Amino acid sequence: MLKKITTIIISLILCTSLLVGCSQKSLDNTKKIGLIVSTLNNPFFVDLKSGIESEAKKLGYDVVVLDSQNDPAKEVSNMEDISVKNVDVVLLNPVDSDSAIASVMVANNLDLPVITVDRVSNGGKVVSHVASDNVEGGKMAAKYLIEKLDNNGNIVELEGIAGSSATRDRGDGFDNEVKNSNLQIITKQSADFDRTKSLSVMENIIQSKGNIDAVFAQNDEMALGALKALQDANMKDVLVVGFDATDDAVISVQKGDMAATIAQQPKLIGETAVNLSHRFLSGKKVESFAPVKLKLIKKK
């Protein structure tokens, strides 16, 4: 009898061990994509996250999301944290392109593949970069204002976070196109891609610069902040062009408040990043840059 009980116990232990082993193996084989996003306090990046999660679900991936809250130090900490969560690849949306180097290097030292999204890293090894052509977007904004102002007028340019590739590229595209026109950029000031900061910055510009014909803001949050400052100052004829085509901005354009916005299609950027990750993890060759098309949104 004792022998029979002992045999049963051993059998139960073996079965339990097999179940635990199978369960552990299943957990180890779960496909995961890590997403480190610069901030979720911006509708553009909320849409980017949504696009990533939606496409990942279709392809059978779980997504681990960490928010850097626009803090480069937290971004590095997030990369360290995500490296122990068994992710197969990290989609990194950097706070800025210079500080991103440290985050990418953390991943490189752990042989964890990184794909940058929307903003590049200025160093370290990445598999690929997925983004809109921000230089071309800046050119599109400039061409629109040149046409609307009959190639004559004073422009205020509101810049994003210093060091961000989006700030640099959108600015370069816009500035180079304006140089070939009769428009004048009377001031360029940073508002860190933030609506509240843009409102304050624009209020100060209005007080110091009287003659303003148009504002180019390097994202929609800043455009909407600038628009509020202009409306409060009863300067309703100033053209405001943004970048991103967030829901708030598109509504503003259709109402006739903002003049236009450059549509980046963040959900499509996210979907593209996931598909590229899937191809890479499947052993296929991927391009070093995967561009996503832009379009100009103006009142119909």
Side-chain angles (χ1 to χ4, degrees):
M1 184 67 178
L2 181 61
K3 184 177 180 181
K4 186 175 181 181
I5 293 171
T6 302
T7 302
I8 292 170
I9 291 171
I10 291 170
S11 297
L12 287 170
I13 291 170
L14 287 171
C15 287
T16 303
S17 297
L18 286 170
L19 286 170
V20 171
C22 289
S23 176
Q24 186 64 48
K25 185 177 180 182
S26 176
L27 285 171
D28 290 342
N29 287 338
T30 301
K31 297 185 293 183
K32 290 183 181 178
I33 292 175
L35 169 61
I36 299 176
V37 63
S38 58
T39 177
L40 289 174
N41 192 30
N42 183 321
F44 177 84
F45 297 115
V46 173
D47 284 347
L48 176 72
K49 171 177 169 284
S50 175
I52 288 169
E53 290 176 329
S54 175
E55 193 66 16
K57 186 176 181 180
K58 292 178 186 176
L59 295 174
Y61 290 89
D62 290 339
V63 181
V64 179
V65 182
L66 296 178
D67 182 357
S68 299
Q69 299 172 349
N70 274 334
D71 182 348
K74 187 167 180 60
E75 180 184 289
V76 175
S77 175
N78 282 342
M79 184 64 80
E80 292 169 345
D81 290 345
I82 214 164
S83 68
V84 297
K85 295 184 183 294
N86 296 321
V87 299
D88 299 289
V89 62
V90 176
L91 302 180
L92 174 64
N93 164 237
V95 173
D96 71 67
S97 300
D98 288 329
S99 64
I101 299 171
S103 301
V104 173
M105 292 301 295
V106 169
N108 290 166
N109 290 336
L110 297 168
D111 293 323
L112 180 60
V114 177
I115 294 171
T116 48
V117 182
D118 186 56
R119 300 169 184 166
V120 301
S121 171
N122 284 341
K125 181 182 178 182
V126 300
V127 171
S128 183
H129 178 60
V130 182
S132 303
D133 187 337
N134 284 307
V135 174
E136 182 59 32
K139 288 181 180 179
M140 288 172 68
K143 287 177 179 177
Y144 173 78
L145 287 176
I146 291 168
E147 178 184 349
K148 294 294 288 184
L149 295 172
D150 290 328
N151 198 21
N152 185 30
N154 294 327
I155 311 294
V156 169
E157 185 174 356
L158 297 178
E159 299 176 301
I161 295 172
S164 161
S165 60
T167 297
R168 181 187 65 239
D169 292 346
R170 292 172 193 179
D172 285 350
F174 185 81
D175 296 350
N176 289 333
E177 195 66 30
V178 168
K179 284 178 184 176
N180 298 320
S181 74
N182 291 325
L183 300 186
Q184 297 294 321
I185 299 174
I186 56 174
T187 186
K188 293 199 292 185
Q189 294 191 36
S190 174
D192 294 336
F193 291 132
D194 184 85
R195 190 184 301 201
T196 302
K197 288 183 181 178
S198 175
L199 172 61
S200 176
V201 168
M202 195 66 212
E203 286 173 342
N204 292 333
I205 291 172
I206 289 169
Q207 291 178 4
S208 61
K209 307 282 185 181
N211 189 12
I212 302 169
D213 297 298
V215 175
F216 169 56
Q218 292 177 357
N219 82 337
D220 284 335
E221 287 295 282
M222 293 191 297
L224 291 164
L227 178 67
K228 177 67 165 59
L230 290 163
Q231 289 173 335
D232 290 347
N234 200 31
M235 298 174 67
K236 297 179 181 179
D237 293 332
V238 177
L239 301 177
V240 177
V241 176
F243 206 116
D244 284 343
T246 62
D247 289 345
D248 285 352
V250 172
I251 290 169
S252 180
V253 170
Q254 298 308 330
K255 286 171 59 181
D257 294 332
M258 275 178 58
T261 180
I262 308 299
Q264 263 212 96
Q265 306 185 80
K267 289 183 180 179
L268 182 57
I269 293 175
E271 292 168 8
T272 303
V274 171
N275 278 294
L276 190 144
S277 299
H278 179 63
R279 285 192 283 122
F280 172 76
L281 293 173
S282 300
K284 297 178 181 177
K285 187 175 180 180
V286 298
E287 56 271 43
S288 60
F289 174 51
V292 177
K293 287 185 178 180
L294 294 162
K295 58 182 178 180
L296 179 74
I297 304 293
K298 57 184 180 178
K299 189 173 181 180
K300 296 177 181 178

Short mmCIF file of all heavy atoms in Angstrom, two decimals, residues 115 126-130 272 275-276 279-280 284-291:
data_model
loop_
_atom_site.label_atom_id
_atom_site.label_comp_id
_atom_site.label_asym_id
_atom_site.label_seq_id
_atom_site.Cartn_x
_atom_site.Cartn_y
_atom_site.Cartn_z
N ILE A 115 14.51 49.58 -32.91
CA ILE A 115 14.00 50.31 -34.08
C ILE A 115 13.52 51.66 -33.58
O ILE A 115 12.68 51.72 -32.69
CB ILE A 115 12.87 49.53 -34.77
CG1 ILE A 115 13.40 48.23 -35.36
CG2 ILE A 115 12.20 50.39 -35.85
CD1 ILE A 115 12.33 47.30 -35.89
N VAL A 126 21.06 50.87 -34.55
CA VAL A 126 19.63 50.56 -34.64
C VAL A 126 19.37 49.73 -35.89
O VAL A 126 20.11 49.84 -36.88
CB VAL A 126 18.75 51.83 -34.65
CG1 VAL A 126 18.97 52.65 -33.39
CG2 VAL A 126 19.02 52.67 -35.88
N VAL A 127 18.34 48.92 -35.84
CA VAL A 127 17.98 48.08 -36.97
C VAL A 127 17.42 48.93 -38.11
O VAL A 127 17.79 48.77 -39.27
CB VAL A 127 16.92 47.04 -36.54
CG1 VAL A 127 16.38 46.29 -37.76
CG2 VAL A 127 17.50 46.07 -35.52
N SER A 128 16.54 49.86 -37.76
CA SER A 128 15.88 50.68 -38.77
C SER A 128 15.25 51.90 -38.11
O SER A 128 15.19 51.98 -36.87
CB SER A 128 14.80 49.86 -39.49
OG SER A 128 14.18 50.60 -40.53
N HIS A 129 14.79 52.82 -38.94
CA HIS A 129 14.09 54.01 -38.45
C HIS A 129 12.79 54.16 -39.24
O HIS A 129 12.80 54.10 -40.48
CB HIS A 129 14.96 55.26 -38.63
CG HIS A 129 14.29 56.53 -38.21
ND1 HIS A 129 13.84 56.75 -36.93
CD2 HIS A 129 13.97 57.66 -38.92
CE1 HIS A 129 13.28 57.94 -36.86
NE2 HIS A 129 13.35 58.51 -38.04
N VAL A 130 11.69 54.34 -38.52
CA VAL A 130 10.37 54.48 -39.15
C VAL A 130 9.83 55.87 -38.84
O VAL A 130 9.69 56.25 -37.67
CB VAL A 130 9.38 53.42 -38.63
CG1 VAL A 130 8.04 53.56 -39.33
CG2 VAL A 130 9.93 52.01 -38.81
N THR A 272 3.46 50.42 -39.34
CA THR A 272 4.65 50.16 -40.15
C THR A 272 5.79 49.64 -39.29
O THR A 272 6.51 48.71 -39.68
CB THR A 272 5.08 51.43 -40.91
OG1 THR A 272 3.99 51.90 -41.71
CG2 THR A 272 6.29 51.17 -41.79
N ASN A 275 5.13 45.96 -38.36
CA ASN A 275 5.35 45.08 -39.51
C ASN A 275 6.84 44.91 -39.82
O ASN A 275 7.31 43.81 -40.14
CB ASN A 275 4.61 45.62 -40.74
CG ASN A 275 3.15 45.23 -40.74
OD1 ASN A 275 2.80 44.06 -40.85
ND2 ASN A 275 2.27 46.22 -40.60
N LEU A 276 7.58 46.00 -39.68
CA LEU A 276 9.02 45.92 -39.91
C LEU A 276 9.68 45.05 -38.82
O LEU A 276 10.56 44.25 -39.12
CB LEU A 276 9.62 47.34 -39.91
CG LEU A 276 11.06 47.46 -40.38
CD1 LEU A 276 11.25 48.75 -41.17
CD2 LEU A 276 12.03 47.45 -39.20
N ARG A 279 9.03 41.39 -39.62
CA ARG A 279 9.89 40.90 -40.70
C ARG A 279 11.32 40.65 -40.20
O ARG A 279 11.95 39.66 -40.53
CB ARG A 279 9.90 41.89 -41.86
CG ARG A 279 8.62 41.86 -42.67
CD ARG A 279 8.74 42.61 -43.98
NE ARG A 279 8.66 44.05 -43.79
CZ ARG A 279 9.59 44.92 -44.14
NH1 ARG A 279 10.71 44.50 -44.70
NH2 ARG A 279 9.41 46.21 -43.94
N PHE A 280 11.80 41.58 -39.37
CA PHE A 280 13.15 41.44 -38.81
C PHE A 280 13.25 40.20 -37.92
O PHE A 280 14.20 39.41 -38.03
CB PHE A 280 13.52 42.69 -38.01
CG PHE A 280 14.80 42.56 -37.24
CD1 PHE A 280 16.03 42.63 -37.88
CD2 PHE A 280 14.79 42.34 -35.87
CE1 PHE A 280 17.22 42.49 -37.18
CE2 PHE A 280 15.96 42.20 -35.16
CZ PHE A 280 17.19 42.27 -35.81
N LYS A 284 14.07 38.17 -41.92
CA LYS A 284 14.10 38.81 -43.23
C LYS A 284 14.88 40.12 -43.18
O LYS A 284 14.96 40.77 -42.14
CB LYS A 284 12.67 39.07 -43.72
CG LYS A 284 11.86 37.79 -43.92
CD LYS A 284 10.44 38.10 -44.35
CE LYS A 284 9.63 36.82 -44.53
NZ LYS A 284 8.22 37.10 -44.88
N LYS A 285 15.43 40.50 -44.31
CA LYS A 285 16.18 41.75 -44.40
C LYS A 285 15.20 42.92 -44.40
O LYS A 285 14.16 42.89 -45.06
CB LYS A 285 17.02 41.78 -45.68
CG LYS A 285 17.96 42.97 -45.78
CD LYS A 285 18.84 42.87 -47.01
CE LYS A 285 19.78 44.06 -47.09
NZ LYS A 285 20.65 43.99 -48.30
N VAL A 286 15.53 43.97 -43.63
CA VAL A 286 14.66 45.15 -43.58
C VAL A 286 15.45 46.39 -43.97
O VAL A 286 16.67 46.45 -43.83
CB VAL A 286 14.05 45.34 -42.16
CG1 VAL A 286 13.19 44.15 -41.78
CG2 VAL A 286 15.14 45.55 -41.11
N GLU A 287 14.72 47.39 -44.47
CA GLU A 287 15.35 48.62 -44.90
C GLU A 287 15.81 49.44 -43.69
O GLU A 287 15.25 49.34 -42.60
CB GLU A 287 14.38 49.44 -45.75
CG GLU A 287 13.04 49.75 -45.09
CD GLU A 287 11.98 48.70 -45.33
OE1 GLU A 287 12.30 47.49 -45.24
OE2 GLU A 287 10.82 49.08 -45.59
N SER A 288 16.83 50.27 -43.88
CA SER A 288 17.35 51.08 -42.78
C SER A 288 16.45 52.27 -42.47
O SER A 288 16.49 52.81 -41.36
CB SER A 288 18.76 51.58 -43.11
OG SER A 288 18.74 52.38 -44.29
N PHE A 289 15.62 52.67 -43.44
CA PHE A 289 14.65 53.75 -43.22
C PHE A 289 13.35 53.40 -43.91
O PHE A 289 13.34 53.09 -45.10
CB PHE A 289 15.19 55.09 -43.74
CG PHE A 289 14.19 56.22 -43.68
CD1 PHE A 289 13.49 56.50 -42.51
CD2 PHE A 289 13.95 57.02 -44.79
CE1 PHE A 289 12.56 57.54 -42.44
CE2 PHE A 289 13.02 58.06 -44.74
CZ PHE A 289 12.34 58.32 -43.56
N ALA A 290 12.27 53.42 -43.15
CA ALA A 290 10.95 53.11 -43.70
C ALA A 290 10.10 54.38 -43.63
O ALA A 290 9.53 54.70 -42.58
CB ALA A 290 10.29 51.98 -42.93
N PRO A 291 10.01 55.14 -44.72
CA PRO A 291 9.25 56.40 -44.70
C PRO A 291 7.75 56.18 -44.79
O PRO A 291 7.29 55.23 -45.42
CB PRO A 291 9.77 57.13 -45.94
CG PRO A 291 10.18 56.04 -46.88
CD PRO A 291 10.67 54.90 -46.01
#
